[in-house]
Amino acid sequence: MKNLPPKNLFILFLTAFIWGTAFVAQSVGMDHIGPFTFNAARSLVGGVALIPVVLVFDRFKTPQRRQEEKANRKTLLLGGLSCGVALGVASSLQQVGIQYTTVGKAGFITALYIVIVPILGLFFRKKVGVKLWISVVIAILGLYLLCMSGSLKLELGDFLVLLCAFAFSVHIMVIDYFSPKVDGVKMSCIQFFVAGILSGILMLASEGVPDPHAVAISWMPILYAGVLSSGVAYTLQIVGQKGVNPTIASLVLSLESVISALAGWVILHQNMSGREVLGCVLMFAAIILAQLPDRKKPEEVKEAVS
């Protein structure tokens, strides 16, 4: 198994950091508006924020590159639509679930995609080595220590966020399939408009037409979640995940849960017990273990020496 290149590691960690701190914005953002209104707003803001980036990047592309993208336009649209639906479902479940659980707990349950992704990967012939499975088990132990207080019982918010983890797993696998084939920034831009439209439909069906004043006073968390968490972070995910084993990528991205717990502690004063801190440490240990180089076989060593 090839280790994650340093550049990809940094990009995916930066993605996890932005997502982790965005849990606070997602929680505060619903002080005045509903979850679907917040999701629709943040997704559309993310899509709009990427339009100038797409236009600037297009100016520096060679005629050959533009011709290739033109030939792959259907693949781009299909990828953007697929990613957008998966993202819209996942973020809606997460946003509703956050109303009934803590920021830290929501972050760690969301990170259960580190187990779901390799299982889904088996259906697409994505091999997972023993070391990586051990990393996943350690990470799950960390999740248990932080999320469960002596019982495996899940509350409503926890269950919704768990469903969100399944949807995010699908999102990661869809990106793994489409990202090598198309322009990542363009696909990200399309996915936000799709997710925004889907969230808007759910908003009108369950929350009605939003109050403009309520949306206006929620501008700061919407802007953070829209521009940084959506526009920047999800685009970084597509770029950073390109050519990387989805299980390794999911392990690095799962650090968002550690960061969300720390952000909830620092910003929202949601205290963490020693047990929860140990859970965070185990998550970091799982990431480090996954990145340790594999022991070379004797024949590989001989080839390297010769």
Side-chain angles (χ1 to χ4, degrees), residues 99-113:
Q99 295 179 111
Y100 307 103
T101 188
T102 65
V103 166
K105 197 171 182 180
F108 267 81
I109 294 176
T110 298
L112 280 172
Y113 56 64

Side-chain angles (χ1 to χ4, degrees), residues 52-201:
V53 179
V54 170
L55 294 176
V56 170
F57 280 12
D58 273 349
R59 294 185 62 183
F60 295 95
K61 290 178 180 176
T62 62
Q64 181 181 358
R65 178 62 177 169
R66 290 175 182 161
Q67 192 65 32
E68 291 175 356
E69 290 186 358
K70 187 175 180 180
N72 291 330
R73 187 170 296 172
K74 288 184 179 179
T75 304
L76 173 65
L77 293 174
L78 180 59
L81 178 62
S82 301
C83 286
V85 171
L87 178 61
V89 171
S91 57
S92 294
L93 287 167
Q94 185 184 69
Q95 198 64 35
V96 175
I98 284 176
Q99 295 179 111
Y100 307 103
T101 188
T102 65
V103 166
K105 197 171 182 180
F108 267 81
I109 294 176
T110 298
L112 280 172
Y113 56 64
I114 61 177
V115 179
I116 303 168
V117 165
I119 292 175
L120 291 177
L122 294 176
F123 294 98
F124 298 95
R125 298 180 181 178
K126 298 286 183 181
K127 295 182 179 180
V128 178
V130 174
K131 185 180 69 177
L132 204 48
W133 277 116
I134 293 174
S135 300
V136 169
V137 171
I138 294 174
I140 289 303
L141 179 57
L143 289 171
Y144 176 82
L145 290 175
L146 187 110
C147 297
M148 304 301 178
S149 301
S151 172
L152 290 174
K153 181 180 178 181
L154 292 176
E155 303 296 338
L156 173 62
D158 304 331
F159 178 70
L160 292 174
V161 178
L162 182 59
L163 292 178
C164 137
F166 278 91
F168 272 128
S169 299
V170 173
H171 185 247
I172 289 173
M173 297 305 296
V174 171
I175 288 177
D176 178 64
Y177 179 79
F178 283 103
S179 62
K181 306 174 187 294
V182 298
D183 184 305
V185 180
K186 285 184 178 179
M187 186 169 76
S188 186
C189 185
I190 293 171
Q191 79 166 345
F192 291 130
F193 283 112
V194 172
I197 292 171
L198 179 60
S199 297
I201 294 172

Side-chain angles (χ1 to χ4, degrees), residues 20-24 103 258-270:
T21 54
F23 272 93
V24 175
V103 166
V258 175
I259 295 166
S260 73
L262 294 175
W265 172 49
V266 173
I267 301 174
L268 300 182
H269 308 294
Q270 295 177 345

Side-chain angles (χ1 to χ4, degrees), residues 7-23 26 42 113 168 171-172 175 188 191-192 224 228-242 249-257 259-260:
K7 179 182 177 182
N8 295 69
L9 175 63
F10 175 75
I11 291 174
L12 291 176
F13 176 77
L14 184 58
T15 302
F17 180 84
I18 296 173
W19 282 351
T21 54
F23 272 93
Q26 289 175 248
R42 70 176 283 196
Y113 56 64
F168 272 128
H171 185 247
I172 289 173
I175 288 177
S188 186
Q191 79 166 345
F192 291 130
Y224 185 91
L228 284 179
S229 180
S230 295
V232 175
Y234 279 106
T235 303
L236 288 175
Q237 179 197 5
I238 291 174
V239 174
Q241 196 181 321
K242 189 172 185 178
S250 68
L251 272 170
V252 179
L253 292 174
S254 70
L255 285 177
E256 68 167 298
S257 54
I259 295 166
S260 73

